[in-house]
């Protein structure tokens, strides 16, 4: 999903926790994320249980979460993390696009789903996007998610303004971007987002983006998911 404007130089540093059961993967992630001066890797964990403890202690902005781990897998950990720390965003990072993992990660509350073969720039962009509350999905994951998406049944019709906000969410806009685009305050945007999620019976803006794509409110064509 394409961000509408270039990343501002005043963007704050993003505090990141790396979660993967392979030390060499964590080391590689730490090395190339360290090339971005606005990303601070503040800790590591080797399984979901360690991740929950580290999040409680370190309060990262974004968690890079492997899905296949011993003790507690990434999907279970993501679900527990989002319940306890809803403001911490999770990027699911895995080596495969198995459908149950893709769906499970998003249903658990991950804001993004990326493959481990993604470039360092792509992952860094996804981290900054997650910190801004923007959705980033691997293109093939997005297509599978849209195809299989079952969540959300409209309980009440959206207002024209809520429909516009839903479209912008599907195109990767953050609340700040939507506020600027619609010439309203971020608080107003948050209210629109909260109301549309309630009307659609959804839990997250990632699910809202998928709903919009599934039901034709927005299109995959021309959108860099």
């Amino acid at each position: 999903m394409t961000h509408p404007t270039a990343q501002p130089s005043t963007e704050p540093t993003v505090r990141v926790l790396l979660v993967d059961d392979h030390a060499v993967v964590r080391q590689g992630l730490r090395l190339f994320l360290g090339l971005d001066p606005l990303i601070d890797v503040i800790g590591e964990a080797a399984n979901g249980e360690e991740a929950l403890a580290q999040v409680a202690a370190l309060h990262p902005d974004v968690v890079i979460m492997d899905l296949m781990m011993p003790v507690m897998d990434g999907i279970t950990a993501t679900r527990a993390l989002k319940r306890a720390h809803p403001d911490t965003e999770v990027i699911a990072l895995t080596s495969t696009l198995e459908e149950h993992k893709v769906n499970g990660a998003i249903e658990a509350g991950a804001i993004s789903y990326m493959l481990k073969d993604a470039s360092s720039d792509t992952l860094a962009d996804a981290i900054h996007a997650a910190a801004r509350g923007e959705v980033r999905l691997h293109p093939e994951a997005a297509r599978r998610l849209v195809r299989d998406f079952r969540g959300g049944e409209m309980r009440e019709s959206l207002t024209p303004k809520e429909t516009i906000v839903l479209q912008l969410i599907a195109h990767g806009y953050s609340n700040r971007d939507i506020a600027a685009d619609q010439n309203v305050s971020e608080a107003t945007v948050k209210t629109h987002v909260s109301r549309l999620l309630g009307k659609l019976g959804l839990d997250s803006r990632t699910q809202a983006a998928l709903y919009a794509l599934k039901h034709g409110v927005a299109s995959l064509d021309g959108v860099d998911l």
Side-chain angles (χ1 to χ4, degrees):
M1 296 183 181
T2 304
H3 190 254
T5 57
Q7 180 180 306
S9 60
T10 56
E11 188 168 353
T13 300
V14 182
R15 293 161 50 84
V16 175
L17 175 70
L18 304 177
V19 185
D20 195 292
D21 59 322
H22 293 100
V24 67
V25 173
R26 300 196 305 273
Q27 182 181 30
L29 288 170
R30 181 181 281 276
L31 284 173
F32 69 66
L33 291 179
L35 299 175
D36 188 323
L38 294 180
I39 292 178
D40 181 14
V41 178
I42 60 171
E44 301 179 11
N47 59 62
E49 283 191 359
E50 288 184 12
L52 295 177
Q54 290 284 64
V55 170
L58 301 175
H59 307 290
D61 302 306
V62 176
V63 175
I64 307 298
M65 184 77 76
D66 186 25
L67 299 184
M68 292 293 290
M69 296 182 292
V71 184
M72 179 186 289
D73 66 83
I75 292 175
T76 302
T78 297
R79 187 175 293 109
L81 189 159
K82 292 300 292 183
R83 281 198 301 263
H85 307 277
D87 292 334
T88 298
E89 299 295 354
V90 176
I91 296 176
L93 186 67
T94 188
S95 56
T96 64
L97 271 174
E98 294 181 32
E99 292 183 10
H100 73 281
K101 293 179 185 175
V102 177
N103 292 319
I106 298 304
E107 289 171 0
I111 195 171
S112 297
Y113 192 106
M114 306 295 295
L115 288 181
K116 288 182 178 179
D117 64 1
S119 69
S120 57
D121 287 344
T122 297
L123 182 56
D125 176 69
I127 289 170
H128 287 294
R132 294 189 297 262
E134 300 171 15
V135 176
R136 289 287 192 279
L137 296 170
H138 183 279
E140 183 58 28
R143 286 171 173 79
R144 294 188 187 193
L145 284 162
V146 171
R147 182 190 68 197
D148 298 335
F149 185 69
R150 297 287 184 271
E153 293 185 8
M154 188 174 291
R155 300 167 179 172
E156 183 181 348
S157 296
L158 300 182
T159 66
K161 183 65 73 174
E162 288 165 351
T163 300
I164 292 172
V165 170
L166 180 59
Q167 291 171 333
L168 294 176
I169 289 173
H171 284 265
Y173 282 46
S174 67
N175 285 353
R176 181 190 302 175
D177 300 326
I178 295 171
D181 185 85
Q182 295 297 300
N183 195 29
V184 296
S185 69
E186 284 190 59
T188 298
V189 175
K190 288 180 181 179
T191 298
H192 286 317
V193 173
S194 178
R195 287 178 177 171
L196 72 86
L197 289 176
K199 288 181 177 181
L200 298 177
L202 302 173
D203 298 319
S204 71
R205 38 193 317 126
T206 307
Q207 291 178 358
L210 294 172
Y211 179 96
L213 295 168
K214 180 78 171 183
H215 293 277
V217 179
S219 172
L220 278 169
D221 296 337
V223 178
D224 181 14
L225 289 164

